[in-house]
Amino acid sequence: QVLATSILQEKQEGTFRRLLVAPLSQSALLLGKLLPYYIINLVQVASMFAIGHFVFGMSLGSAPAAMLVITLATAAAATGLGLLVASLGKTASQIGGFSTLLTLTLAAIGGMMVPVFTMPEIMQTISKISPHNWALTAYQDVIVRGLGLSDILLESAVLGGFALVFFLFAVWRFRFEEN
């Protein structure tokens, strides 16, 4: 929501319109805007796992490379989703409401509130449309099941696919000026 609101503010203030005179493509401008938020996502995840490990003694598994790959892919999907929300919302209220609805819905069907294995079979299938499901499964594979990098490549690739689809749809839909 913070990313989307920030982009909305830049649209309203005309910042994007001024940036369009730069010799960069619109995609490059958006990627430049997204990079700080991507880094913030990475820092947030690293902080959560560091606190979990050092304060609460949580195991992080035995495959740090796998954790890194999952985190990079998850942060990319989250950042892409933020840009998608920014491309759809025209007001701060729309962005806030849409962000909340989308986040809670994807989290619920993705297994963040109720484990997927306890869901009816149809919901287990539907859960695959949520990036939350793929991230959760990958983290569980490493932390709980003790799997390694080669075991989470599919989940990481799917998260990367979500990121790409979110970004491409957002770029297609994005307007640099307030409508």
Side-chain angles (χ1 to χ4, degrees):
Q1 183 175 342
V2 174
L3 166 63
T5 304
S6 171
I7 289 175
L8 175 66
Q9 182 179 1
E10 290 196 27
K11 282 183 187 181
Q12 291 171 338
E13 293 173 356
T15 306
F16 278 126
R17 192 173 352 108
R18 290 190 296 274
L19 287 172
L20 288 174
V21 300
L24 296 170
S25 69
Q26 291 180 349
S27 297
L29 286 173
L30 289 176
L31 282 173
K33 176 68 178 168
L34 295 179
L35 185 60
Y37 291 95
Y38 179 72
I39 292 169
I40 289 168
N41 279 331
L42 295 175
V43 169
Q44 286 176 330
V45 173
S47 299
M48 286 187 299
F49 281 127
I51 290 169
H53 180 72
F54 293 112
V55 175
F56 300 108
M58 179 179 123
S59 170
L60 299 178
S62 59
M67 291 291 285
L68 177 63
V69 169
I70 299 164
T71 300
L72 292 171
T74 301
T79 305
L81 188 58
L83 181 62
L84 178 62
V85 169
S87 74
L88 297 173
K90 295 182 195 258
T91 66
S93 295
Q94 284 180 349
I95 286 171
F98 189 58
S99 293
T100 301
L101 177 67
L102 191 58
T103 301
L104 288 175
T105 302
L106 289 174
I109 66 173
M112 297 292 179
M113 298 175 187
V114 175
V116 172
F117 70 86
T118 66
M119 294 179 184
E121 194 170 322
I122 186 72
M123 287 305 298
Q124 291 181 28
T125 302
I126 291 172
S127 73
K128 303 290 188 215
I129 67 167
S130 172
H132 295 65
N133 174 265
W134 294 92
L136 181 62
T137 299
Y139 281 124
Q140 287 174 335
D141 282 349
V142 174
I143 296 170
V144 178
R145 297 179 191 97
L147 301 179
L149 180 60
S150 63
D151 302 303
I152 54 87
L153 292 178
L154 172 64
E155 290 94 340
S156 298
V158 171
L159 287 165
F162 275 113
L164 182 63
V165 168
F166 292 154
F167 181 76
L168 291 175
F169 186 77
V171 167
W172 171 72
R173 177 73 177 79
F174 195 84
R175 303 293 173 256
F176 282 83
E177 295 184 34
E178 188 178 15
N179 294 342

